[in-house]
Amino acid sequence: MKLYLAGPDVFLPNAVEVGNAKRQLCRQYGFVGLFPLDNELTAAKAGRLSKTIFAGNIAMLNEADAVIANLTPFRGVSADVGTVFEVGYGFARGKKVYGYSNVRTGFIERVQELVSGALERGADARLYAADGLAVEDFDHFDNLMIAEALLQNGESIVLPATAVGDTWRDLQTFERCLRTIQARAPAGSPITAAR
Amino acid sequence: MKLYLAGPDVFLPNAVEVGNAKRQLCRQYGFVGLFPLDNELTAAKAGRLSKTIFAGNIAMLNEADAVIANLTPFRGVSADVGTVFEVGYGFARGKKVYGYSNVRTGFIERVQELVSGALERGADARLYAADGLAVEDFDHFDNLMIAEALLQNGESIVLPATAVGDTWRDLQTFERCLRTIQARAPAGSPITAAR
């Protein structure tokens, strides 16, 4: 089974190293990991870098059987939008989508951290932040479109049991997510065969 | 042509009103606007609200011919992730995706506003923010996955010519985006016929 490794990991200075470590972990669990930066390195030689990266990522997503997304909040309340685009794309293409976050802080708490001021219950019974816009109150880790896409596989987002030291490099939560995927794989599937 | 009206507009206290105004504008340009909150209102009666909204939005996306996304930065550097999920989903399903933002501030400037500290050019020639992660430097308004999906239609994100008064309620940029879509519609299409 091929897993597309979505996440803002590509923005790390040592992204190649992190990608290799993730791929190595995938192999340990009988998966093939596809890391977006593989495209980027080749694309660097091409003229239209952005377009080439996009086309490469789309081709890789089409090749993958599932998406495993690093949904750690990135420069704001929610996950990296590039990653979320890929989660939506993968889901639409019938791929199973799984996700994890290396940050445990809940959604409503994250909104409060970014939008200063108290939350208030509106006349319509929805929760509102000080920016005047509602805050989803479904006990999900992030926007319901992401949460429900993951739940279609019967799995919520995987979170660390305790605070993680290096948010962008620790791979323990990623590995727990791989174990979850492995447990979900039907018996006799290529995953089992590969071990 | 049916347009799925993606955006954080659903989080407004007067979301129904804004949705109606958007649908009215769609009609003026010969389109049918599908607004996610239509599902939500019905779903409120159901038990599993989050799951019902998700299923309703997905059904509506499948019905739409194109997606017009409000990509105004929302609680962070980038667009609302629920909207971006829908952009990725729609793109994967072969829908044309269009987008606009009521904020003009560029991507790199927005990263600098959220992540305090100077940007620096890394040894790998990439631009890095003070959080230690790279910043895309492609002159796009947001992450390249969003930008390139829009560019597949030959159109960039539509931005306001001057600063917009009410970021979440002004519909002038939305209307300019509708005009763009109309101009792109092939002659003799149902759009022209409906006018």
Side-chain angles (χ1 to χ4, degrees):
Chain A
M1 187 154 99
K2 291 179 188 170
L3 298 178
Y4 182 86
L5 307 172
D9 315 51
V10 293
F11 301 129
L12 287 167
N14 65 336
V16 174
E17 195 184 313
V18 171
N20 287 339
K22 280 190 152 182
R23 269 198 300 246
Q24 176 57 34
L25 279 169
C26 283
R27 272 192 295 272
Q28 283 179 32
Y29 287 86
F31 302 122
V32 175
L34 305 176
F35 191 62
L37 211 69
D38 301 336
N39 300 313
E40 193 158 357
L41 294 172
T42 319
K45 292 163 199 156
R48 294 274 330 270
L49 184 55
S50 165
K51 195 176 180 177
T52 312
I53 295 172
F54 178 78
N57 290 0
I58 293 294
M60 218 179 231
L61 276 162
N62 289 341
E63 186 189 343
D65 303 296
V67 176
I68 176 168
N70 179 352
L71 297 170
T72 306
F74 179 67
R75 295 178 183 158
V77 164
S78 290
D80 165 51
V81 289
T83 305
V84 173
F85 179 98
E86 292 168 347
V87 167
Y89 183 96
F91 182 78
R93 290 282 172 137
K95 323 284 183 184
K96 289 189 184 299
V97 291
Y98 297 93
Y100 70 97
S101 163
N102 266 347
V103 164
R104 287 172 49 83
T105 314
F107 181 68
I108 292 175
E109 200 180 331
R110 300 199 309 271
V111 173
Q112 277 186 298
E113 275 173 15
L114 194 93
V115 187
S116 43
L119 294 181
E120 282 183 26
R121 190 65 65 179
D124 59 0
R126 293 200 295 178
L127 203 59
Y128 284 88
D131 57 11
L133 289 123
V135 182
E136 284 185 0
D137 190 12
F138 295 120
D139 203 25
H140 291 319
F141 186 76
D142 208 326
N143 185 285
L144 76 87
M145 296 306 291
I146 302 170
E148 293 292 344
L150 266 56
L151 283 170
Q152 300 284 309
N153 303 319
E155 297 291 345
S156 294
I157 187 166
V158 176
L159 299 176
T162 54
V164 164
D166 187 335
T167 304
W168 297 113
R169 286 170 185 82
D170 192 295
L171 295 180
Q172 289 182 64
T173 324
F174 171 75
E175 189 170 355
R176 280 185 42 228
C177 196
L178 287 178
R179 279 200 290 268
T180 302
I181 301 173
Q182 199 186 42
R184 284 267 159 200
S189 75
I191 302 166
T192 312
R195 292 185 71 211
Chain B
M1 186 154 99
K2 291 179 187 169
L3 298 179
Y4 182 87
L5 307 171
D9 315 52
V10 293
F11 300 130
L12 286 166
N14 65 336
V16 174
E17 196 185 312
V18 171
N20 286 339
K22 280 190 153 182
R23 268 198 301 244
Q24 175 57 34
L25 279 169
C26 284
R27 273 192 294 273
Q28 284 180 32
Y29 288 87
F31 302 123
V32 175
L34 305 176
F35 192 62
L37 211 68
D38 302 335
N39 300 314
E40 193 159 357
L41 295 173
T42 320
K45 292 164 199 155
R48 294 275 330 269
L49 184 54
S50 164
K51 195 176 180 178
T52 312
I53 295 172
F54 178 79
N57 290 359
I58 292 294
M60 218 178 231
L61 277 162
N62 289 340
E63 186 189 343
D65 303 296
V67 175
I68 175 167
N70 179 352
L71 297 170
T72 307
F74 180 66
R75 293 177 184 158
V77 165
S78 290
D80 165 52
V81 288
T83 305
V84 173
F85 178 99
E86 292 169 346
V87 167
Y89 182 97
F91 182 78
R93 291 281 172 139
K95 322 285 183 184
K96 288 188 184 300
V97 290
Y98 298 92
Y100 71 97
S101 163
N102 266 347
V103 164
R104 285 172 50 83
T105 315
F107 181 67
I108 291 175
E109 199 180 331
R110 300 201 308 271
V111 172
Q112 276 186 298
E113 275 174 15
L114 194 94
V115 186
S116 42
L119 294 181
E120 282 183 25
R121 190 65 64 179
D124 59 0
R126 293 200 295 177
L127 202 60
Y128 283 88
D131 58 11
L133 289 122
V135 181
E136 284 184 0
D137 191 12
F138 295 120
D139 202 25
H140 291 319
F141 185 76
D142 208 328
N143 185 285
L144 77 86
M145 297 305 292
I146 302 171
E148 293 292 344
L150 266 57
L151 284 169
Q152 301 284 309
N153 303 319
E155 296 292 344
S156 294
I157 188 167
V158 176
L159 300 176
T162 54
V164 164
D166 187 334
T167 304
W168 298 113
R169 286 170 185 83
D170 193 294
L171 295 181
Q172 289 181 63
T173 324
F174 171 75
E175 188 171 353
R176 278 186 44 228
C177 195
L178 287 178
R179 279 200 290 269
T180 303
I181 302 174
Q182 199 186 41
R184 284 267 159 200
S189 75
I191 302 167
T192 312
R195 292 184 70 211

